[in-house]
Amino acid sequence: MNLKYMRMLPGMEYSTTPAPEPDDHEGVVRITVDTAEQVPRKPDGVTLRRGLRYHEGLRLDLHTPSTPGRHPLVVYLPGGGFAVAPRAMARRERAFIAASGYAVASVQYRTTRQKATYRQGLADAQAAIGYLTGRAEDFGIDPGRIGVWGESAGGYMASLVGLEDERIGAVVDKFGAVDIARLAEGFDQRMHTFLGDPDNAVNRYGAAEANPADLARPGAPAFLLLHGDDDRVIPPVQTLELHLALRAAGVDSTRYLLTGAGHGHLALSGEQSRQWTSLQVMTLVRDFLDRNLRG
């Protein structure tokens, strides 16, 4: 969706100015993305099961490789401002990872639409993992190799799951929120007003009560953090805060800052959006998962 149309949707807003990116830090890599080569929309060798009911009416979609054997599991948690969690999100990117030899589940979790808080959302993510590992033989899953992946609000959720569940071996966080109380930092006054409203979905979800950076601990799974430097929805300093906390705890954390990229598909232009479906960026994700779930 073009970011300029966002304000037509209830409860959506963006900053007219980008937030400044702090100075470079160890383990932060700034990259310029070549968008010419994109991941395929429907790669060969992948099976998609839609609408699997896993818990109290909630559903997930599951991509699995057509090759036999047990495959590492990657649980994808979609974004949606804590108001929605559409499991159809990032289907193209998920299929690419599945074609690389992973079972990839996109999980619908409860949000403010169901009058839930982040605690119920985390419980749903755990229930989905339990559902999938409990049927590991049916789905061709290796229950000993599990990663979580999310973007935006889903990135926040994925980071919390990864830092609380000792079964998780890798976390991919794309432009996720971290410190909700500072979510408007560096943005224009309109965003400060918007995010300061107690009726905002972000605040009603209670996410300010849990900061993933506070949970950074020795022995935590490896993290891959990605953020665009022109993100008008979640400032890049959010993933930087998590990265620095993980590094301070001795955790393997790498953060990529994408030059000119916006907030995933909520972007000012199609070229910004295409950065996130580029072969270059998705190869970074695949290689990270390979190192930590196959190595």
Side-chain angles (χ1 to χ4, degrees):
M1 176 189 294
N2 189 298
L3 196 57
K4 294 178 181 179
Y5 297 124
M6 240 178 91
R7 292 199 189 101
M8 297 179 183
L9 302 177
M12 301 297 286
E13 188 57 272
Y14 75 96
S15 175
T16 56
T17 58
E21 170 66 14
D23 295 336
D24 291 342
H25 293 271
E26 182 181 358
V28 175
V29 183
R30 181 180 288 272
I31 60 173
T32 300
V33 177
D34 180 359
T35 61
E37 194 168 4
Q38 297 280 297
V39 296
R41 293 188 180 277
K42 294 183 178 180
D44 295 331
V46 174
T47 299
L48 173 60
R49 298 175 176 90
R50 290 188 177 93
L52 298 175
R53 189 186 300 267
Y54 76 88
H55 177 64
E56 296 183 355
L58 297 170
R59 298 178 183 272
L60 60 82
D61 291 349
L62 180 65
H63 282 93
T64 52
S66 300
T67 53
R70 299 290 186 97
H71 305 284
L73 170 64
V74 177
V75 174
Y76 174 82
L77 300 172
F82 303 120
V84 293
R87 67 180 192 272
M89 183 176 285
R91 183 179 298 165
R92 183 175 183 175
E93 298 96 305
R94 290 185 283 114
F96 173 79
I97 296 300
S100 302
Y102 293 86
V104 183
S106 180
V107 174
Q108 173 194 23
Y109 54 89
R110 283 173 290 177
T111 64
T112 57
R113 182 167 289 184
Q114 292 82 34
K115 302 186 185 304
T117 70
Y118 77 94
R119 294 183 183 88
Q120 284 77 51
L122 290 176
D124 295 339
Q126 295 287 1
I129 293 172
Y131 169 84
L132 292 161
T133 56
R135 294 160 178 76
E137 185 173 352
D138 295 337
F139 296 142
I141 289 171
D142 181 347
R145 295 183 290 171
I146 305 173
V148 287
W149 163 23
E151 56 186 78
S152 194
Y156 165 88
M157 299 291 288
S159 292
L160 287 180
V161 172
L163 290 165
E164 292 185 349
D165 189 331
E166 294 186 355
R167 296 173 296 175
I168 305 303
V171 179
V172 179
D173 177 350
K174 289 185 175 182
F175 42 88
V178 176
D179 186 349
I180 302 299
R182 298 170 55 206
L183 202 55
E185 186 173 296
F187 283 155
D188 61 19
Q189 184 57 47
R190 182 167 44 197
M191 280 294 277
H192 282 267
T193 301
F194 173 70
L195 290 169
D197 183 351
D199 290 331
N200 185 292
V202 175
N203 296 318
R204 286 188 286 119
Y205 207 56
E209 298 175 13
N211 182 336
D214 293 338
L215 302 178
R217 55 175 173 79
F223 269 70
L224 175 64
L225 304 162
L226 302 104
H227 219 128
D229 69 0
D230 195 24
D231 191 319
R232 308 295 182 91
V233 180
I234 294 179
V237 72
Q238 291 280 307
T239 51
L240 178 61
E241 178 179 333
L242 178 55
H243 171 71
L244 295 177
L246 292 165
R247 283 269 175 153
V251 179
D252 178 4
S253 176
T254 301
R255 178 174 178 268
Y256 288 96
L257 188 66
L258 282 58
T259 302
H263 193 73
H265 296 294
L266 290 177
L268 292 169
S269 69
E271 185 66 14
Q272 279 192 333
S273 178
R274 283 167 59 85
Q275 292 206 37
W276 297 105
T277 52
S278 68
L279 182 62
Q280 180 182 352
V281 167
M282 289 309 303
T283 296
L284 292 174
V285 175
R286 183 198 63 197
D287 290 351
F288 168 79
L289 294 171
D290 285 349
R291 287 194 302 272
N292 291 284
L293 297 183
R294 295 184 186 277

